[in-house]
């Protein structure tokens, strides 16, 4: 039981059918992919999970250095943020996002970015959390053309209500 990347990601899509890669994603593939991310997490990368007693995994986030070099101010990135559809609206997404921002700040990243598929309802969540639409890009995901929107937070310290962490 609990959230899988496939079930959480499918629930977050709104404007188009899921790419074939998402529909065909197997539990074995998901398990191996996330196992690698956890194993290789280190000083700059991390995976955070939310678990609910009696249910299991209810959300997850992964983070690290920003992959898009064109957004210099946004040095950290939340690569993924998923919440089980059965637990949306219970504060899990907010808690995961704040924890991801805290870890990024502790690792010395000043700002952060999250990329979302255009038309994804998560945009309203990101905006409510203080994210500003800062860029758009086109790409491919599992053989399908996609349009993504970037949401940025200029200052993680300000977002978290504290002083900037020092990289050390």
């Amino acid at each position: 039981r609990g959230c899988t990347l496939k079930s959480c990601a499918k629930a977050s899509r709104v404007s188009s059918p899921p790419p074939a890669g998402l529909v065909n994603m197997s539990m074995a593939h998901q398990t191996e992919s996330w196992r690698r991310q956890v194993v290789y997490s280190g000083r700059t990368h991390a995976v955070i999970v939310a678990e609910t007693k009696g249910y299991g995994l209810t959300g997850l986030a992964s983070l690290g250095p920003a992959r898009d070099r064109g957004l210099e101010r946004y040095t950290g990135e939340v690569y993924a943020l998923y919440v089980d559809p059965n637990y949306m609206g219970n504060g899990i997404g907010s808690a995961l996002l704040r924890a991801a921002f805290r870890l990024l700040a502790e690792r010395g990243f000043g700002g952060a970015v999250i990329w979302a598929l255009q038309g994804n309802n998560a945009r309203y969540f990101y905006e409510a959390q203080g994210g500003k639409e800062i860029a758009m890009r086109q790409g491919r995901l599992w053989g399908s053309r996609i349009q993504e929107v970037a949401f940025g937070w200029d200052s993680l310290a300000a977002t978290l209500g504290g002083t900037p962490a020092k990289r050390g």
Side-chain angles (χ1 to χ4, degrees), residues 72-127:
E72 294 82 16
R73 189 171 8 173
Y74 307 94
T75 55
E77 182 173 347
V78 177
Y79 305 134
L81 177 65
Y82 296 108
V83 175
D84 187 309
N86 297 312
Y87 283 84
M88 287 182 176
N90 290 311
I92 293 169
S94 297
L96 284 167
L97 186 60
R98 287 191 67 75
F101 286 167
R102 201 171 303 110
L103 285 174
L104 286 168
E106 288 171 4
R107 287 164 165 82
F109 297 104
V113 64
I114 297 175
W115 288 93
L117 291 174
Q118 185 176 31
N120 185 326
N121 283 333
R123 78 167 301 122
Y124 304 112
F125 171 75
Y126 298 142
E127 290 168 346

Side-chain angles (χ1 to χ4, degrees), residues 6 10 18-30 142:
K6 181 177 180 178
K10 279 177 71 175
L22 181 59
V23 171
N24 298 323
M25 186 181 289
S26 71
M27 182 62 80
H29 178 265
Q30 287 180 65
W142 294 311

Side-chain angles (χ1 to χ4, degrees), residues 34-90:
W34 283 104
R35 185 195 68 76
R36 278 194 314 270
Q37 286 191 50
V38 170
V39 166
Y40 295 113
S41 291
R43 183 154 161 60
T44 57
H45 294 77
V47 176
I48 306 165
V49 298
E51 186 175 12
T52 300
K53 189 173 184 173
Y55 185 79
L57 184 68
T58 51
L60 57 90
S62 64
L63 59 107
R67 296 171 287 188
D68 192 315
R69 301 293 176 232
L71 304 170
E72 294 82 16
R73 189 171 8 173
Y74 307 94
T75 55
E77 182 173 347
V78 177
Y79 305 134
L81 177 65
Y82 296 108
V83 175
D84 187 309
N86 297 312
Y87 283 84
M88 287 182 176
N90 290 311

